[in-house]
């Protein structure tokens, strides 16, 4: 066994990449660049955007503007999140968290997504599970169903 070959455990424990299979970078199959503007957004940026948006919906809107306690009405921040997500992504292509993280939601042709796909995307995102099932291009089930992707600005 040469030093260039993977150990036998790496072929099934480490996945396809450890076995020497080149899947390319996320977004390569979609014709997107590896890095920079228009590249598929990484998980770090997405999580930062989600945390920012959730904090805005929980603290600013639910507690300050509506005067409700999220512990007593836990569904309110979720509804506020879904509404702000739908409105902002449908009309601006990104939420406040997306803007601060330097990402946006794009249609597969690179343009802004339409209202109906954003509605479907928002409903699936509110379920959380479709966002946790994703492909090698970092597109969750909610992205695939709405024919969208999250890219860097």
């Amino acid at each position: 066994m040469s030093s260039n070959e993977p150990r036998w455990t790496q072929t099934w424990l480490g996945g396809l990449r450890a076995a020497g299979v080149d899947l390319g970078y996320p977004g390569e199959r979609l014709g997107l660049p590896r890095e920079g503007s228009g590249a598929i957004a990484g998980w770090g940026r997405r999580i930062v955007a989600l945390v920012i948006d959730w904090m805005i919906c929980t603290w600013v809107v639910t507690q300050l503007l509506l005067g409700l306690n999220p512990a007593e009405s836990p569904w309110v921040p979720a509804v506020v999140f879904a509404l702000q997500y739908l409105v902002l992504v449908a009309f601006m292509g990104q939420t406040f968290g997306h803007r601060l993280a330097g990402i946006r939601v794009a249609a597969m042709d690179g343009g802004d997504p339409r209202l109906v796909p954003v509605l479907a995307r928002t409903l699936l995102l509110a379920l959380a599970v479709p966002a946790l099932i994703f492909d090698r291009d970092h597109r969750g089930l909610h992205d695939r169903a709405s024919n969208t992707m999250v890219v860097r600005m």
Side-chain angles (χ1 to χ4, degrees), residues 3 6 13 27 35 84 101 103 110 144 149:
S3 62
L13 285 177
E35 292 291 327
Q84 71 91 22
I103 60 177
R144 294 179 65 89
M149 58 189 163

Side-chain angles (χ1 to χ4, degrees), residues 4-134:
N4 292 338
E5 295 178 25
R7 293 189 346 229
W8 68 273
T9 55
Q10 288 177 324
T11 60
W12 60 276
L13 285 177
L16 293 173
R17 290 189 197 277
V21 177
D22 182 21
L23 298 176
Y25 60 87
E28 183 175 18
R29 294 183 309 163
L30 306 174
L32 301 175
R34 180 185 297 262
E35 292 291 327
S37 181
I40 291 289
W43 297 115
R45 289 177 186 260
R46 292 174 190 224
I47 291 170
V48 166
L50 177 66
V51 168
I52 291 170
D53 287 333
W54 189 254
M55 288 179 5
I56 289 171
C57 293
T58 303
W59 293 343
V60 176
V61 177
T62 303
Q63 287 183 329
L64 294 177
L65 295 178
L66 299 177
L68 298 172
N69 183 357
E72 294 173 1
S73 304
W75 57 271
V76 174
V79 170
V80 170
F81 179 83
L83 287 174
Q84 71 91 22
Y85 195 91
L86 174 65
V87 170
L88 293 177
V89 172
F91 295 105
M92 295 174 35
Q94 59 190 175
T95 64
F96 297 119
H98 287 158
R99 180 72 177 168
L100 292 172
I103 60 177
R104 70 181 184 91
V105 177
M108 291 303 291
D109 63 4
D112 290 332
R114 308 289 183 258
L115 180 60
V116 173
V118 171
L119 177 62
R121 187 179 200 280
T122 302
L123 292 174
L124 289 170
L125 187 60
L127 297 175
V129 173
L132 299 174
I133 302 170
F134 52 89

